[in-house]
Amino acid sequence: MRSSQFVKNLMMWRGKNNLDFCFPWRNAGDPYKVLIAEILLKKTTRKQVANQWFKFIKKYPDFNALKNAKTASLLKVLRPLGLEHVRAKQLKRLASVIVSEFSGKIPSDQDKLLSLPGVGRYSANAVLSFIFNYDISMIDANTARVLQRVFGLKSKKKRPRADNAWWTFAESLPPKGKGKEFNYGILDFASEICTAKNPKCSICPMSKICSYYKHLAS
Ligand code: SF4
């Protein structure tokens, strides 16, 4: 079956191409640091965030520090990423809610996560996967591209990552007990191999099962 072969190939690729060292938050071992990275990563690239994340964490090491941050000062760290007032306010509100309603601890419940300012389905599932080790999927523009190309998925939605059917399909993919590895693997695979422009099909482990490649070759 194509999905099981996809998972097998992806996990093998991840085994040989572990890029965690490029993204320091992956091994930070601190839920706060992981969540901040996920928020900074919205509409920015992972390479851009890597530098700025260190500065952010140094200046605001926990939710209390972030809650009490001066907006002007916070903007100095956010602006190099192209993030402005809206994101600064959102981060401060997020910190306030976590401090006041969750005793400073990130909840491990999806509904509670979705109730947090600035946390949507992708970020909530990222927290559940990367912090709490749930075998759960995440779909962003990059993972959506991989799924669309390999499986030939179609959607009537303008942004397929908002399509519930895609989420349902994606939920079936992460192997038991290895959801975090799977999710890091597909994110890295999307940025290194199945890139938006000029995908590296000639060296891709998915080429034999990929709808897009089959179409290209025919
Ligand atoms: Fe992407 Fe090409 Fe690989 Fe298909 S064969 S998954 S399009 S890189």
Side-chain angles (χ1 to χ4, degrees):
M1 195 177 168
R2 186 157 32 168
S3 51
S4 57
Q5 192 61 50
F6 172 78
V7 173
K8 192 175 163 197
N9 293 355
L10 185 76
M11 296 306 279
M12 279 177 64
W13 184 86
R14 160 84 178 158
K16 293 178 191 159
N17 299 276
N18 186 319
L19 303 182
D20 292 356
F21 66 94
C22 300
F23 309 110
W25 52 87
R26 289 188 181 177
N27 294 312
D30 177 344
Y32 169 76
K33 294 175 182 172
V34 177
L35 179 58
I36 291 301
E38 289 306 322
I39 305 249
L40 297 184
L41 283 162
K42 285 189 200 173
K43 297 188 181 164
T44 53
T45 68
R46 299 187 299 167
K47 281 168 190 164
Q48 280 178 304
V49 168
N51 273 340
Q52 217 54 22
W53 175 84
F54 274 118
K55 291 183 188 163
F56 190 108
I57 294 299
K58 197 171 169 204
K59 203 164 177 184
Y60 307 109
D62 53 37
F63 286 118
N64 261 313
L66 181 56
K67 170 178 161 260
N68 296 321
K70 297 261 185 292
T71 304
S73 181
L74 187 51
L75 280 170
K76 283 188 187 158
V77 195
L78 296 178
R79 279 201 170 122
L81 296 172
L83 306 176
E84 289 290 344
H85 277 87
V86 174
R87 194 63 59 87
K89 281 188 182 166
Q90 201 175 61
L91 278 161
K92 278 172 61 69
R93 271 193 293 127
L94 171 69
S96 290
V97 171
I98 290 186
V99 169
S100 61
E101 293 180 28
F102 297 99
S103 309
K105 294 206 170 112
I106 299 170
S108 60
D109 174 279
Q110 193 180 45
D111 288 339
K112 286 180 182 158
L113 283 166
L114 288 170
S115 75
L116 296 171
V119 175
R121 194 169 183 176
Y122 177 89
S123 301
N125 283 16
V127 166
L128 293 173
S129 174
F130 300 149
I131 298 176
F132 298 109
N133 286 309
Y134 281 43
D135 293 330
I136 197 164
S137 280
M138 300 135 51
I139 304 184
D140 67 355
N142 298 312
T143 54
R145 179 178 67 250
V146 173
L147 298 179
Q148 183 172 34
R149 285 176 176 169
V150 174
F151 295 100
L153 297 185
K154 299 209 178 343
S155 175
K156 287 185 181 152
K157 301 263 184 196
K158 194 174 168 197
R159 292 192 306 172
R161 62 184 187 271
D163 193 324
N164 275 332
W166 285 45
W167 280 89
T168 303
F169 174 70
E171 289 300 346
S172 69
L173 296 174
K176 204 168 181 314
K178 294 186 176 161
K180 181 163 39 174
E181 287 299 303
F182 174 85
N183 285 323
Y184 282 148
I186 196 167
L187 286 171
D188 294 341
F189 179 78
S191 71
E192 300 299 314
I193 302 291
C194 196
T195 46
K197 287 183 187 162
N198 304 318
K200 301 180 179 75
C201 302
S202 60
I203 57 161
C204 177
M206 304 297 178
S207 57
K208 284 191 180 152
I209 58 163
C210 177
S211 289
Y212 179 92
Y213 185 70
K214 200 171 161 188
H215 180 71
L216 275 186
S218 64

